[in-house]
Amino acid sequence: MHVHTLENWQHNHEFSVINETGERRTQYVLILTAVTMIAEIIAGSVYGSMALLADGWHMGTHVAAFMITIFAYHYARKHAKNPAYTFGTGKVNVLGGFASAVALAVVALVMLVESVQRIMDPQIIQFNQAIAVACLGLIVNIISAFLLKNHDHSHGHHHEHHHDHNLRAAYLHVLADALTSLLAIVALLSGKYFGWNWLDPIMGIVGAIIITRWSFGLLKQTSPILLDTSIDKEYQSAIKEAIENDSDNRISDIHIWKVGANHYAAIISLVTHYPNATSHYKELLSDFHKLSHVTIEINACASEPCVVANNA
């Protein structure tokens, strides 16, 4: 019968990014964006500006993205200790960032299609009203970007916030909003003073291309984590070297993958003639701070020599 607690041998599975200030500021940005979205969609429809209407639609997808961001924060925090999730909810924020990146790609496609249609079928634009609403949208975007970016900088010493893909996605959506608002203003001013009405849909196309690039970049950051991509080869080689330089240890199998934005888990199987306690091998890896969850399997060799290939 065991009389000791198991806590000393149990792993912590709380790998989610807890960012309450980022969550609260995202809520403020959600409200600002929703109000501006309604104003721009109505104004764009009434005054005939594709750039302004595209900015309003764009903001609509951002409202949905900010809701995803807030939901991801809430869900990750609520279920952080839920045993139903093998390695906790560390990837929920990453999944939120991935979903927001998909939303960015969708709105870029919508902007592109509608802009091409406006080139083929130009619309009459009421410039003064459209410019006023676009300027309002830009002001809201600048305030929103300041809220999110300022938070990121003020918490820069907390390493985990550098990899809050959820907050990063929200910030990119705000930047995309600011870009489309700025392009709309440039297009509308050019149309009003130079008669370049064709520039309005062209700016919609330019905005769609830039936003697509941002979306692709965020997808490249988040999708490898969701697909359990291994840690970089140099880091993995250093881990193998740390273990194999001790005694006659040879690693027969190794798996390292992200369980959250900033945390890696590792399962390492080794073969040796002189087995030690698992704590000994974990101590060998104590300087590898990226490893938050390490499982060691020790296979003792029989009396005959053990030969293990070095291609594990």
Side-chain angles (χ1 to χ4, degrees):
M1 176 178 177
H2 293 289
V3 295
H4 300 289
T5 177
L6 292 175
E7 290 181 358
N8 292 336
W9 292 272
Q10 291 177 327
H11 288 285
N12 173 33
H13 294 139
E14 295 184 35
F15 303 126
S16 58
V17 175
I18 304 300
N19 192 347
E20 294 181 358
T21 303
E23 179 180 358
R24 184 171 61 254
R25 294 194 177 190
T26 303
Q27 292 173 344
Y28 298 155
V29 171
L30 169 63
I31 296 171
L32 285 172
T33 305
V35 172
T36 309
M37 171 200 73
I38 295 172
E40 289 198 342
I41 289 178
I42 293 174
S45 300
V46 172
Y47 304 137
S49 169
M50 175 53 217
L52 188 55
L53 194 59
D55 191 28
W57 288 340
H58 192 193
M59 281 193 165
T61 63
H62 294 333
V63 167
F66 295 145
M67 292 177 68
I68 291 173
T69 299
I70 294 170
F71 173 77
Y73 278 131
H74 174 76
Y75 191 89
R77 184 175 62 252
K78 180 179 179 181
H79 296 277
K81 297 182 179 181
N82 189 338
Y85 297 95
T86 304
F87 288 99
T89 55
K91 290 187 178 181
V92 171
N93 288 328
V94 180
L95 181 60
F98 180 86
S100 293
V102 173
L104 273 175
V106 170
V107 75
L109 178 61
V110 172
M111 288 174 61
L112 178 63
V113 171
E114 187 64 25
S115 296
V116 172
Q117 290 178 348
R118 289 299 177 99
I119 291 177
M120 305 299 294
D121 183 22
Q123 303 290 315
I124 297 175
I125 301 174
Q126 299 182 40
F127 292 106
N128 292 335
Q129 298 90 331
I131 291 171
V133 178
C135 288
L136 173 63
L138 181 59
I139 292 172
V140 170
N141 293 328
I142 291 173
I143 294 173
S144 299
F146 177 79
L147 280 172
L148 297 179
K149 187 63 174 179
N150 181 60
H151 168 67
D152 186 50
H153 281 169
S154 64
H155 290 75
H157 60 282
H158 293 304
H159 178 74
E160 66 272 11
H161 288 176
H162 285 300
H163 299 284
D164 187 346
H165 295 97
N166 209 28
L167 186 63
R168 173 66 175 169
Y171 180 64
L172 282 182
H173 277 275
V174 168
L175 284 186
D177 271 340
L179 173 67
T180 51
S181 293
L182 182 61
L183 292 178
I185 293 171
V186 171
L188 291 167
L189 287 174
S190 299
K192 178 180 179 180
Y193 292 108
F194 303 109
W196 297 350
N197 291 18
W198 52 267
L199 193 59
D200 187 74
I202 292 297
M203 285 300 189
I205 294 175
V206 172
I209 294 172
I210 295 175
I211 293 166
T212 298
R213 287 179 57 87
W214 288 348
S215 170
F216 182 70
L218 189 55
L219 288 172
K220 284 183 65 178
Q221 291 177 16
T222 54
S223 55
I225 300 175
L226 296 175
L227 294 172
D228 292 333
T229 301
S230 185
I231 203 166
D232 63 83
K233 291 184 178 180
E234 290 76 14
Y235 202 88
Q236 180 168 307
S237 296
I239 291 172
K240 293 180 65 176
E241 184 177 348
I243 292 180
E244 293 188 342
N245 283 346
D246 173 69
S247 186
D248 70 336
N249 304 329
R250 288 295 180 268
I251 291 179
S252 58
D253 197 21
I254 181 170
H255 300 280
I256 303 176
W257 71 102
K258 272 193 172 182
V259 290
N262 321 291
H263 301 275
Y264 283 87
I267 297 177
I268 300 172
S269 179
L270 62 91
V271 180
T272 179
H273 280 94
Y274 312 103
N276 281 288
T278 54
S279 58
H280 170 77
Y281 302 102
K282 290 185 177 182
E283 181 62 27
L284 295 176
L285 302 176
S286 60
D287 291 334
F288 295 90
H289 303 297
K290 292 182 180 181
L291 302 181
S292 303
H293 188 294
V294 178
T295 302
I296 303 288
E297 178 187 63
I298 306 166
N299 300 286
C301 284
S303 57
E304 63 272 9
C306 290
V307 179
V308 180
N310 289 321
N311 60 352

